Amino acid sequence: MNETASLPTAETATETAPEPLLSARGLRRTYRLPRRRLLRPAPVRQALRGVDLEVREGGSLGIVGESGAGKSTLIRLLLGLDRADAGQVLYRGREVAGGGRPRDLAWFRREVQFVPQDPLGSLDPRMRVRDIVAEPLECLADASTAADGKAGRDRRIDEVLHAVGLDAADVRRRYPHEFSGGQRQRIAIARALAPRPRLLIADEPVSALDVSVRVQVLDLLRDLTARLGLALVLVSHDLGVVQLLCEEVLVLKDGRVEEQGPAEAVLRAPRSGYTRELLASVPSLAADPVSAPRYGPTR
Amino acid sequence: MSGILRALLRHRSGLLGLVLVSVLVAAAAVSWVWTPYDPTTTDLKARWVLPFRDGHVLGTDMLGRDQLSLLLVGARETLAVALLATAIAAAVGLLMAGAAALAPRWISASVVQLVDVVIAFPALLTAMVLAAVFGGSLWTAASAVGIASGVHVARVTRLEIERVRGTDYVLAATASGSGTWRTMRRHVLPNIAPTLIVQLSLVMAVATLTEASLSYLGYGSPSPAVSWGRMLHDQQPYIEARPLLVVWPGIAVALTVLGFNLLGDALRDATDPRLRGSGVGSAAPGGVPESAAEGLPKHGSAAAVPVAAVAAPASAPLLTVTDLTIRVGARILVDGVSLSLAAGERLGLIGESGSGKSLTSLAVPGLLPEGLTASGSIRIDGVELLGRPERQLAGIRGERVAMVFQEPLTALDPLWRIGRQIAEPLRLHRGLTRRQADEEALRLARRVGLPDPEHIVRAWPHQLSGGQRQRVGIAIALACRPALLIADEPTTALDATVQREILALLDELTREQGTALIFVTHDLAVVASVADRIAVMRRGRIVEHGPLGEVLASPREAYTRSLLAAARATSFTPSPASPSAVPPIPPSAPSAEPFEPSLATEATT
């Protein structure tokens, strides 16, 4: 794996201050809905009603919830793509002011990158793989990386494409539609890795993929985060995925944190009734199918 | 750039458009240096010369002017008006659309209002007023068309900008640190370009027509100027005696408009890498997932489905599918599938995307998409369904075979109240009166567990949650007590807790009514909770088929084994003894046989 030699290794991650890498305090976000009556105030929907969370350097947090729980809103706030009505997002103790000018957050984006859900929709159909992966490098170039110039950038593109298991020489000049779903998600991961981030925020990274490809992409994510010492925030409705990749779990319901703690504890002995219901709802594929639970009548 | 040109040349109508526009440009260019005769010189001795006489290829008009020379010189005016109008329209359109999309709210709101007002002004009338005030010229025609079309372009462009800004790749770009202007330049502009190109080519066509109309009406460029519209105008009084003279400028205008339109459409396609083939010049795409079926042999061999015969149940089957093959063109999507299902039996049809599981299930009630052809045999109660006219199939659907779809919102008509949607099949198939059907619908709504059924039958689909909509879908499907229910990924779009309830409901109702079930899904864990028997599909064939417990416990095929391993590796295990009990994911593909063929052989494709 000499092609990844220049990627930062896990060793660098250990010598850090005890403060959390990413934290959120009292996040609230309310959306205004379309007006029903002309003279009445517009109705509102409270997407988040005070969410706190913490991710340590090299740690991994899984955010679980059903549709409407506020997962997407939380992701937007954690990524600084939107401004919270109340509360703060802090990265290494510094406030991440979302919704402002993109340049003001360049420092944050160099460290925190995003792996979106739909690997086809998140890649510009009119850009070649090379340009897609180069995008964060171009946008986030600072004094230290600007000196590398185009050659350095190309080298970095090849590096990250290798790191996600793609043949750089072959894929560089291709367009997204020429790849399968799993390969596209690899490209999206390569794009996120390009600026040497310390934290990946992944929004349902495998839910659009076939089960056999899912294993490969999860395997890749687990391998990369371990090898590079990356912290991971993973949003998913799939408890199996969270169980596989995350040390900590946060259960979100109706914009509030329902339960939070080490994955093993939350998934094995949930304290909240909602979490228990959620766990019980997952159809399981026991190794012994005869003992697999079948659903009885609902009522 | 050369790639775009090459794609344009491969495009048949694009080539025609390119030729037509090139001829126009060439005519305009040639007319500067050479015309057969001086187009403005009148020669009263040579009036009404017929074509191909005395060196006048297209003849002469009432003043003895050479028609070909007039046409050549007239092309200049047409081209100039078209280009000028398009430039103005592009500038006006992009500026207004940009302002409407990016500026602060009050500016964008006023721009949108302004666009709506200006759009109500007819361009031709505006041009005539302008010409009346400022005198007819190339400029009045071009600016009238340019501004009027520009507003149309602005409207369409704004919507396109909004669409592209809402895509995931723009979100991803923002998360990558791309600024507003950079995103506009790198993502938004290239992706709205196709629409813009078509719009602007339409402006060119409209400008050509408007110039001709204006000149014809006498509002065009003043006398010494030559244009096609002016030729029409001059010859109008003699149209009965010399109809041929109107034909030449008429053909010129028509061909030019056609040329602009064809070229615009072709340019739109040629600038799209998805339609242009591979970016590296090879036409074969590397790993398009749908291409999985391409490698199939032309004829399905019976040896591919040896298990089919084994699984035939003892009692007379309700459904028998024999050697079902579905093709689109020469491509085989489903390859010789054979299935049988006894009354009340429950079959899980498992497969990944592109395996043909959904097509197989759609073929049974004859719901294959347009362009796909099915061969083989599908029998229900021993009656052949394939090749039956639509009328007879419609009678069988709903009554004997019903379907539940993945996306309950799109499967319901948004303009029908819930109760009416449930009642419809009852009136259609069981001939109930409206009142009886409504009562039965209410009973069904209650039976599928919809909350507050008296009110919900009066509600609209959009007012229901996803789970409630799927309950409605099940109520509709089971309304006529069909013998066979086909459920295509009915819980994939639902949350886990809702999924559980819907699965339990399906389970309960099909048992109660003795309905046979084909449950199509990619999720082995889901199928394990509803099916008695499963069939695993891959690349259009059934690779394994057998009782649920047997297949799950001791799968015969390597593919099924690896599918199970993958599903177990990623599925949630309720109470692991310790975290290390989670089976480790094998480093590469879970089996020797890779699922993503293009991934493993990446370098060679």
Side-chain angles (χ1 to χ4, degrees), chain B residues 115-131:
Chain B
V115 165
D116 286 347
V117 172
V118 175
I119 229 160
F121 277 81
L124 187 60
L125 218 59
T126 318
M128 284 165 66
V129 173
L130 281 180

Side-chain angles (χ1 to χ4, degrees), chain A residues 66-67 124 135 180 183 210, chain B residues 182 187 353 495 497 596 602:
Chain A
E66 298 194 283
S67 41
D124 188 332
E135 183 151 55
S180 67
Q183 289 169 314
D210 273 332
Chain B
R182 189 185 174 283
H187 294 288
S353 44
D495 280 327
T497 46
E596 260 179 309
E602 204 124 49

Side-chain angles (χ1 to χ4, degrees), chain B residues 216-565:
Chain B
Y216 174 75
L217 294 170
Y219 292 98
S221 302
S223 194
V226 176
S227 81
W228 295 343
R230 195 161 180 87
M231 290 170 73
L232 288 169
H233 173 77
D234 291 347
Q235 277 134 21
Q236 189 205 3
Y238 315 104
I239 195 162
E240 280 183 33
R242 312 280 171 185
L244 203 56
L245 292 181
V246 197
V247 170
W248 306 128
I251 288 177
V253 169
L255 287 182
T256 304
V257 170
L258 182 69
F260 283 139
N261 285 341
L262 290 181
L263 188 64
D265 282 354
L267 263 181
R268 176 197 56 198
D269 294 349
T271 51
D272 193 330
R274 283 162 295 187
L275 300 175
R276 204 163 63 211
S278 170
V280 281
S282 74
V288 183
E290 285 71 22
S291 69
E294 273 173 355
L296 291 170
K298 280 269 149 56
H299 302 287
S301 58
V305 280
V307 280
V310 181
S315 56
L318 167 73
L319 170 75
T320 322
V321 175
T322 320
D323 202 19
L324 175 68
T325 301
I326 300 174
R327 290 188 178 81
V328 54
R331 231 176 98 179
I332 297 177
L333 303 175
V334 170
D335 186 13
V337 162
S338 299
L339 282 174
S340 67
L341 204 63
E345 208 182 358
R346 302 122 84 69
L347 171 75
L349 199 54
I350 284 277
E352 300 195 285
S353 44
S355 62
K357 60 184 189 303
S358 287
L359 287 180
T360 303
S361 70
L362 282 173
V364 172
L367 291 175
L368 280 181
E370 200 78 24
L372 270 61
T373 51
S375 60
S377 155
I378 299 173
R379 286 167 184 269
I380 284 188
D381 308 325
V383 180
E384 179 63 48
L385 295 189
L386 267 189
R388 233 163 229 267
E390 176 60 28
R391 267 181 76 98
Q392 293 177 25
L393 283 177
I396 292 165
R397 265 181 241 140
E399 197 170 356
R400 297 297 291 159
V401 186
M403 282 203 76
V404 176
F405 297 93
Q406 171 172 356
E407 185 37 75
L409 182 57
T410 48
L412 296 179
D413 188 325
L415 297 181
W416 282 26
R417 290 184 196 274
I418 296 301
R420 196 169 152 215
Q421 310 216 25
I422 304 178
E424 182 70 11
L426 294 168
R427 296 182 59 197
L428 208 62
H429 292 295
R430 278 168 51 184
L432 300 188
T433 65
R434 173 156 239 160
R435 175 171 298 174
Q436 285 170 328
D438 285 348
E439 274 168 19
E440 181 66 12
L442 187 64
R443 195 192 65 77
L444 279 164
R446 198 172 288 128
R447 184 66 197 85
V448 296
L450 284 167
D452 195 5
E454 284 79 10
H455 279 98
I456 224 161
V457 293
R458 309 262 325 137
W460 303 102
H462 72 267
Q463 295 171 318
L464 272 58
S465 71
Q468 290 172 347
R469 283 185 208 123
Q470 200 55 292
R471 285 177 194 272
V472 173
I474 292 171
I476 295 172
L478 294 180
C480 297
R481 300 181 163 265
L484 171 64
L485 178 67
I486 300 174
D488 188 358
E489 304 263 9
T491 60
T492 306
L494 304 175
D495 280 327
T497 46
V498 184
Q499 162 168 296
R500 180 195 193 191
E501 291 167 13
I502 295 292
L503 286 176
L505 180 70
L506 265 178
D507 192 79
E508 186 188 335
L509 287 180
T510 48
R511 273 179 205 286
E512 183 185 292
Q513 300 192 358
T515 311
L517 178 69
I518 296 182
F519 195 98
V520 181
T521 184
H522 68 280
D523 193 334
L524 276 161
V526 165
V527 94
S529 63
V530 289
D532 309 322
R533 199 149 59 87
I534 64 177
V536 181
M537 285 191 75
R538 188 191 191 197
R539 300 190 184 179
R541 300 189 187 186
I542 292 183
V543 293
E544 180 149 11
H545 189 169
L548 176 80
E550 216 168 273
V551 174
L552 290 190
S554 53
R556 263 188 305 252
E557 286 297 310
Y559 176 73
T560 317
R561 272 200 294 277
S562 42
L563 203 61
L564 269 167

